[in-house]
Amino acid sequence: MYFIANWKMFGDLRTLNSLDKVIKFSKTDKKKKFKLIYCPPNTLIRPLSKRLKKTKIEVGAQNCHESDNPGAYTGHVNSKMLKNVGAKYLILGHSENRQAGENDKLINLKVKSGIKAGLKVIFCIGETLKEKKNKKTNQVLARQIKRGLKSIKKKSKLIIAYEPVWSIGTGLIPKPEDLIKTVSFIKKKLGKTSPKVLYGGSVNSVSVSQLKDISSIDGFLIGGASQDPKKFIDIIKKIYN
Ligand code: PGA
């Protein structure tokens, strides 16, 4: 089971001290039941991966520039650079970036560059509230998968994060029966060798009770609640208790 922390644009060097609790907790997982991955802002990838060196917690990035090569792209970093400082995973297609203008074609280039650099891509998909109300969820997800993963051969190596846009940061989560149907739709779309499919959007120690029995979900992408080590640990504890 994956528990991926998406810190978004939060955290500084001092914040890293709070992770000692999570490191200690991760050592209690003798049977290797869960996989913890932290995706901090780029500024923290190096110090965080150094700090986590002797642990089984891994580090990822939240986005990248699509160019494989260095170049005149002020303010950007590419996937090779992220790998170079310790990232092993890479979140792409997050709805906050889609809303800021990233389209499927651009995301597809980024996915290719991430794979090429040897990063494990966490590919985010999800419908807006309007699309949900218009019963377009499956159509939107199918389009995001088809275009965003165009020409990607080994899809089983990816991690898919289903994150309804209307659920992110709102406290709302899909009804379990809807979520079961959607996850099954996503897995079918991806064929026989379906990658792991995670759920993301307002996951916390309370909402996770409604999600934990959905056996087709392979883990969670957690935003707000992942910034507080206690809240993050509580989510994991709820799953295994
Ligand atoms: P949230 O964010 O858990 O704060 O809703 C999830 C995400 O954006 O990945």
Side-chain angles (χ1 to χ4, degrees):
M1 197 87 171
Y2 284 87
F3 296 89
I4 305 182
N6 174 12
W7 272 9
K8 310 193 180 191
M9 201 174 75
F10 291 95
D12 54 26
L13 288 170
R14 259 180 324 172
T15 322
L16 300 186
N17 295 330
S18 70
L19 288 179
D20 289 346
K21 277 191 197 138
V22 181
I23 294 173
K24 204 168 152 209
F25 174 71
S26 73
K27 292 184 179 151
T28 63
D29 181 30
K30 300 275 184 266
K31 289 188 184 152
K32 297 198 167 58
K33 284 193 281 196
F34 51 79
K35 194 156 188 58
L36 304 186
I37 299 157
Y38 270 91
C39 300
N42 291 345
T43 49
L44 296 178
I45 292 178
R46 186 72 177 155
L48 183 55
S49 43
K50 275 190 179 167
R51 203 164 183 130
L52 297 176
K53 213 168 183 175
K54 290 196 178 110
T55 75
K56 62 179 199 94
I57 306 173
E58 293 184 298
V59 181
Q62 302 170 12
N63 202 357
C64 71
H65 190 275
E66 66 276 17
S67 172
D68 295 329
N69 299 315
Y73 304 108
T74 303
H76 292 271
V77 292
N78 71 8
S79 44
K80 275 188 201 160
M81 292 163 166
L82 295 167
K83 168 104 191 229
N84 183 250
V85 289
K88 295 212 165 70
Y89 294 79
L90 175 61
I91 297 175
L92 290 172
H94 192 283
S95 66
E96 282 152 17
N97 295 322
R98 289 182 189 264
Q99 280 163 342
E102 289 194 8
N103 60 25
D104 295 315
K105 203 171 162 195
L106 177 67
I107 294 165
N108 180 246
L109 293 174
K110 294 186 178 200
V111 172
K112 286 178 182 159
S113 83
I115 294 173
K116 203 165 164 193
L119 296 170
K120 197 154 177 142
V121 170
I122 302 158
F123 178 68
C124 302
I125 53 174
E127 82 285 3
T128 62
L129 188 57
K130 193 169 167 216
E131 289 161 343
K132 177 183 156 61
K133 282 188 175 156
N134 291 334
K135 306 210 180 330
K136 291 264 163 54
T137 301
N138 287 0
Q139 195 181 316
V140 169
L141 299 179
R143 191 207 70 224
Q144 290 173 340
I145 291 170
K146 187 168 177 231
R147 299 195 188 155
L149 300 182
K150 195 172 167 204
S151 316
I152 307 294
K153 296 220 166 60
K154 290 185 181 150
K155 293 195 182 63
S156 60
K157 295 243 161 80
L158 303 166
I159 295 172
I160 310 291
Y162 169 55
E163 298 204 306
V165 181
W166 52 271
S167 175
I168 295 175
T170 58
L172 302 170
I173 58 163
K175 290 189 192 122
E177 62 266 31
D178 289 345
L179 193 49
I180 292 169
K181 280 189 203 145
T182 307
V183 171
S184 143
F185 175 79
I186 294 168
K187 290 199 169 179
K188 260 193 219 128
K189 272 275 148 229
L190 288 155
K192 275 189 205 118
T193 50
S194 171
K196 302 280 181 214
V197 178
L198 317 185
Y199 168 76
S202 294
V203 177
N204 56 45
S205 62
V206 178
S207 68
V208 82
S209 315
Q210 291 177 58
L211 303 164
K212 64 184 261 196
D213 295 327
I214 305 178
S215 59
S216 52
I217 293 178
D218 302 299
F220 301 97
L221 181 54
I222 305 159
S226 73
Q227 287 154 31
D228 178 328
K230 189 183 173 304
K231 288 185 182 162
F232 194 50
I233 294 169
D234 279 350
I235 293 172
I236 306 167
K237 280 187 177 163
K238 275 271 171 75
I239 295 279
Y240 295 105
N241 285 339

